[in-house]
Amino acid sequence: MQEKAKKQNKKNRLKVFAIIISLIILITLLGTVSILRQNGLLTNVFQKENIQKQENITNQENTIEIKEDPIEKYGIFGEYYEKAMRKLETLTLEEKIAQIFVIGNSLNTNYTELEKYQFGGYLFFEDFFKGKTQEQIKIAIQNYQSCSKIPLLIAVDEEGGKVVRVSNNKTLSETPFKSPSQIYNNGGFEAIKQDTINKSNLLNNLGINLNFAPVVDIANSQKDYMYSRALKQNRDKTSIYARTVIDASKGLGVSYTLKHFPGYGNNVDTHIGSSIDKRTYEEIYNNDLEPFRAGIEAGAECIMISHNVVTSIDDKNQASISSKVHELLRKELGFTGIIITDALNMGAIRDENTIENAITKAIIAGNDMIILSVDTKTTDKDGSKITYERVINTVKKSIENGKIGQENIDDAVTRILAWKYYKKI
């Protein structure tokens, strides 16, 4: 018993000793901390640690990529720009150049020759549809698409009234589409909306994905060349018309084109010769531009430029080849979609320019796309033959001699490709 008691006492002494040692160590540490704090040493250590942590957080924040909204950066087709830029890198220079052109075709078109080139689109006139069934047209268009590495824009002018390339064929439509003014007078904007839907359904069913309509020019006099094709209403109603057509067309597979920027006014027919628009800038700005503004706000994808010389904007060049007119559309109206010329071999351009000059000027001015009717009988003003190869080589040479910058081509083709992705064709 005594032996056990001795052992227990020994253990207790050891415990007490351990406690005393621990207390001494603790007191020593507390004293050290107090001394360090008094001298500011411990605070500096903590500050350094906190500064290092803050630097690490800042560095992490800086490495986080802040992505800009592609639509804010690139505009209406912005969501598809990255994909378009990747596609652009795979194209040869000739393929890029070809994308800029919408080629007007006719009964004299050599399609075997045409299909050697990767043009951006085809424009068909009434003779293409005449006498054909719906199935024949669909098969023909499908064949053209299958021969193209990049989906084609298949375009027509189906305005209604005087200009009915498709619905004039009774096998495709019971009656031709009426003019915008007739439709409006009979049923207002609700009838305009339904007419747009009906047009879109017919065109989309055939494989047509682009309509060069509506005419949003303001024409109030029967003497005006554009009178029969216009709504024949004032600025405000024409603006509602533009918005109505664009709104109604969305989601139906067919893009619509506002024309003819910056407003045709009371000018003469540019198919046959020059037209000089002498109206003041204020009149054009406050009146003619409004329908285009409305259409752009509604989501217009394409705008066609007229061949009128608008002296208050640029008294030396036709609108379609004027950088000042294009700047007005891009900067003042904020349009980010496709700018396209009226056909470059119309009289107003052809009478004053060789095809080489016209194409070069059109690209420099800021057009994304150029309409050019070319078939086996197409000639320039001097009688020389215009071929697809000549068209492509014109742009190549202008790039080589520095008249056209490579960036002009790349910017236009990127926008065209983004549009095609946007359209899901």
Side-chain angles (χ1 to χ4, degrees):
M1 289 288 292
Q2 289 179 353
E3 188 66 27
K4 285 183 179 181
K6 286 179 181 180
K7 288 181 178 180
Q8 186 63 43
N9 289 334
K10 188 176 181 179
K11 287 180 179 179
N12 291 337
R13 284 197 299 272
L14 289 171
K15 288 180 179 179
V16 171
F17 182 72
I19 292 169
I20 291 169
I21 294 298
S22 297
L23 288 170
I24 291 170
I25 291 170
L26 180 60
I27 290 168
T28 301
L29 287 172
L30 290 172
T32 302
V33 168
S34 177
I35 292 168
L36 288 172
R37 280 181 174 169
Q38 288 174 4
N39 291 304
L41 297 175
L42 190 64
T43 303
N44 290 339
V45 170
F46 287 148
Q47 285 176 340
K48 287 179 181 178
E49 288 181 355
N50 287 334
I51 290 169
Q52 186 62 48
K53 287 179 181 178
Q54 288 297 325
E55 287 178 352
N56 290 339
I57 291 169
T58 302
N59 289 336
Q60 288 175 0
E61 288 175 346
N62 289 338
T63 59
I64 297 172
E65 184 180 354
I66 301 174
K67 291 188 176 180
E68 188 176 352
D69 184 338
I71 294 176
E72 287 186 9
K73 185 174 183 179
Y74 298 113
I76 186 171
F77 314 130
E79 186 179 348
Y80 301 93
Y81 257 65
E82 187 176 333
K83 188 176 180 180
M85 287 187 277
R86 290 198 300 268
K87 181 65 176 178
L88 182 76
E89 293 176 357
T90 70
L91 302 182
T92 66
L93 178 58
E94 289 80 3
E95 288 171 339
K96 289 179 183 179
I97 293 169
Q99 279 298 300
I100 291 171
F101 292 92
V102 174
I103 300 295
N105 300 308
S106 74
L107 293 176
N108 296 314
T109 295
N110 182 336
Y111 286 99
T112 303
E113 183 69 17
L114 177 65
E115 288 166 2
K116 292 180 183 179
Y117 303 87
Q118 296 294 309
F119 287 112
Y122 296 165
L123 169 62
F124 293 107
F125 300 104
E126 188 174 346
D127 58 3
F128 173 78
F129 302 97
K130 191 174 182 179
K132 290 189 179 74
T133 66
Q134 197 172 88
E135 194 61 26
Q136 287 173 323
I137 294 166
K138 289 170 71 172
I139 291 171
I141 291 175
Q142 287 168 4
N143 287 339
Y144 303 142
Q145 289 286 18
S146 67
C147 292
S148 182
K149 293 198 306 189
I150 299 172
L152 289 160
L153 296 167
I154 303 295
V156 293
D157 295 280
E158 191 67 20
E159 299 172 7
K162 283 180 65 175
V163 183
V164 280
R165 313 300 194 202
V166 181
S167 62
N168 215 26
N169 180 342
K170 291 184 179 180
T171 64
L172 304 177
S173 177
E174 289 184 8
T175 58
F177 288 109
K178 294 178 180 178
S179 70
S181 60
Q182 286 178 298
I183 295 166
Y184 175 75
N185 290 336
N186 291 335
F189 291 116
E190 190 58 38
I192 292 289
K193 176 181 177 181
Q194 189 57 53
D195 176 72
T196 304
I197 293 170
N198 294 343
K199 280 194 184 91
S200 300
N201 289 337
L202 173 62
L203 300 182
N204 183 56
N205 185 53
L206 294 171
I208 298 164
N209 51 44
L210 176 59
N211 190 9
F212 289 138
V215 171
V216 295
D217 303 308
I218 299 170
N220 298 312
S221 170
Q222 292 184 19
K223 296 178 181 179
D224 299 344
Y225 167 69
M226 204 57 68
Y227 182 74
S228 62
R229 296 165 59 188
L231 189 68
K232 304 177 185 177
Q233 299 295 325
N234 62 21
R235 179 196 69 180
D236 293 342
K237 287 184 179 179
T238 304
S239 297
I240 296 171
Y241 169 59
R243 184 184 296 277
T244 300
V245 172
I246 298 302
D247 280 339
S249 70
K250 292 298 182 179
L252 298 179
V254 180
S255 299
Y256 282 68
T257 306
L258 304 176
K259 60 183 188 183
H260 306 81
F261 190 83
Y264 210 93
N266 60 355
N267 295 286
V268 299
D269 184 4
T270 52
H271 288 87
I272 58 176
S274 297
S275 173
I276 309 298
D277 186 341
K278 296 182 178 180
R279 293 175 299 160
T280 66
Y281 181 74
E282 289 71 23
E283 183 180 354
I284 293 169
Y285 188 89
N286 294 324
N287 196 54
D288 293 65
L289 296 189
E290 286 306 306
F292 292 97
R293 289 183 196 275
I296 291 168
E297 289 172 1
E301 300 162 27
C302 185
I303 292 180
M304 182 182 291
I305 312 295
S306 79
H307 293 322
N308 295 324
V309 176
V310 185
T311 58
S312 62
I313 301 174
D314 184 345
D315 62 358
K316 294 181 174 61
N317 298 290
Q318 289 86 357
S320 56
I321 56 175
S322 166
S323 59
K324 292 179 181 179
V325 170
H326 288 73
E327 286 173 8
L328 175 65
L329 180 53
R330 288 286 189 218
K331 295 180 180 179
E332 180 65 33
L333 273 67
F335 182 60
T336 58
I338 298 293
I339 300 179
I340 191 167
T341 69
D342 209 339
L344 274 195
N345 34 9
M346 288 167 58
I349 297 292
R350 187 174 182 270
D351 289 352
E352 299 181 18
N353 298 273
T354 64
I355 193 63
E356 284 81 7
N357 286 340
I359 290 172
T360 301
K361 289 178 180 178
I363 294 172
I364 292 171
N367 291 287
D368 299 300
M369 303 195 82
I370 293 169
I371 299 174
L372 190 63
S373 294
V374 180
D375 59 33
T376 56
K377 295 184 178 182
T378 306
T379 59
D380 204 357
K381 61 183 295 185
D382 62 359
S384 59
K385 191 173 182 180
I386 298 176
T387 64
Y388 305 124
E389 184 178 13
R390 181 177 173 182
V391 168
I392 299 294
N393 286 338
T394 289
V395 184
K396 285 180 69 177
K397 289 176 182 177
S398 290
I399 293 172
E400 289 168 3
N401 62 30
K403 289 183 179 179
I404 295 175
Q406 182 65 52
E407 66 278 5
N408 293 86
I409 303 300
D410 288 348
D411 289 349
V413 177
T414 301
R415 188 177 282 114
I416 293 162
L417 294 172
W419 186 28
K420 290 183 176 184
Y421 288 130
Y422 170 94
K423 287 170 61 56
K424 296 179 171 57
I425 59 174

